[in-house]
Amino acid sequence: MTLRLRICHLYPDLLNLYGDRGNIMVLVQRARWRGIDVAVDEARLGDRIDPDAADLYFIGGGEDRQQRIAAGDLVRLKRGPLEAAAEDGAVVLAVCGGYQLVGRFYRPAEGEDLPGLGLLDLWTEHPGPGARRLIGNLVIQPEGGGPPLVGFENHGGRTRLGPAARPLGRVVSGFGNNGDDGWEGAVSGRVYGTYLHGPLLPKNPEFADRLIREALSRRHPGIELAPLPDVLEARARAAVLARVTKAESG
Ligand code: GLN
């Protein structure tokens, strides 16, 4: 049985901040190391997408201006297929600006609200042009256990979750969704949103594997992945954790 991981990267040239594209490279490489075949499709402005053509959809971050360009296209051309894919068990991973756009709406620093996809029950409001941005290293403890997730955040928008979304984790260090309720990210089924850039997946291999496993299990229920050594990955995460601890103690 040949396993195939089918990825769709949305707006690779428009929504891509702080190395978000690296998430795709990690998914591809970790699958290939296990002998899994990988296909990556890119969907840009104006492209239609097929809900059955990919098992993992990725949307990266962007500033308000890029988000405004993407939002109309997302809602008009991608919402239906993404809803269908998510309902059928595909994984959606959305980071920062992309995270804001998979919610109900994003109120940018200036101008009209941007409609969201409504894949996650959340909304985001930017307090305005002069507002303090939430910037720095971010460490969270995932709900449901496992090692901490580490990364970097830089956003003005403050996100609040509605009852149908669960947080991805509890903030250990940094700001997370809004800097005051202690939560970071959101999950509903296999749809994930987070403010973690850096990119997210190289330093958080367990989370990368969770996404790969869930994406493959859409067509291969119960699939398990062979473990990888992850020596460098563990060191990269330890370096971020050490930096955060040092900053907090001194
Ligand atoms: N423009 C959004 C904000 O500042 C998202 C920024 C980002 O993707 N880094 O809230």
Side-chain angles (χ1 to χ4, degrees):
M1 173 182 67
T2 310
L3 288 173
R4 183 155 228 241
L5 178 65
R6 304 173 309 163
I7 299 171
C8 177
H9 188 180
L10 291 146
Y11 311 108
D13 47 351
L14 185 63
L15 298 179
N16 177 42
L17 281 180
Y18 307 111
D20 286 336
R21 183 189 289 275
N23 292 314
I24 302 287
M25 296 163 83
V26 168
L27 294 167
V28 168
Q29 192 54 43
R30 295 185 72 80
R32 287 199 180 135
W33 274 331
R34 279 125 165 168
I36 298 166
D37 197 31
V38 186
V40 182
D41 262 346
E42 297 189 338
R44 294 160 197 264
L45 290 174
D47 291 344
R48 292 185 183 276
I49 56 170
D50 175 350
D52 297 317
D55 300 311
L56 193 156
Y57 294 81
F58 174 70
I59 316 177
E63 292 303 340
D64 291 13
R65 201 176 65 82
Q66 286 82 24
Q67 285 174 282
R68 189 172 292 286
I69 297 168
D73 185 82
L74 254 184
V75 168
R76 200 163 44 87
L77 292 181
K78 276 90 169 169
R79 175 157 55 191
L82 281 174
E83 269 170 7
E87 238 164 71
D88 191 50
V91 171
V92 178
L93 172 65
V95 173
C96 201
Y99 171 37
Q100 296 170 345
L101 292 178
V102 299
R104 291 199 229 138
F105 68 89
Y106 172 49
R107 178 161 302 157
E110 292 173 283
E112 281 175 25
D113 288 4
L114 307 183
L117 292 175
L119 292 177
L120 287 172
D121 182 16
L122 57 89
W123 64 95
T124 306
E125 294 168 292
H126 194 302
R132 171 175 179 228
R133 292 185 71 78
L134 309 181
I135 304 179
N137 287 315
L138 175 59
V139 177
I140 71 169
Q141 187 56 51
E143 288 286 280
L149 297 176
V150 304
F152 176 80
E153 64 182 320
N154 181 357
H155 52 108
R158 273 70 166 166
T159 298
R160 306 261 163 206
L161 305 192
R166 284 178 298 116
L168 183 61
R170 182 164 277 292
V171 174
V172 176
S173 179
F175 298 101
N177 282 341
N178 49 55
D180 55 54
D181 68 10
W183 295 116
E184 203 292 310
V187 192
S188 178
R190 290 178 179 168
V191 181
Y192 297 86
T194 178
Y195 277 113
L196 287 159
H197 289 286
L200 163 69
L201 297 179
K203 298 187 190 75
N204 299 295
E206 300 80 5
F207 189 59
D209 283 356
R210 170 170 163 183
L211 302 180
I212 295 171
R213 201 171 48 242
E214 288 186 353
L216 291 173
S217 72
R218 181 186 187 192
R219 290 184 304 148
H220 305 280
I223 186 88
E224 289 296 335
L225 299 178
L228 294 172
D230 290 335
V231 176
L232 289 176
E233 291 80 352
R235 259 195 243 160
R237 173 164 47 210
V240 176
L241 290 173
R243 211 179 300 150
V244 165
T245 316
K246 202 166 146 212
E248 284 181 352
S249 64

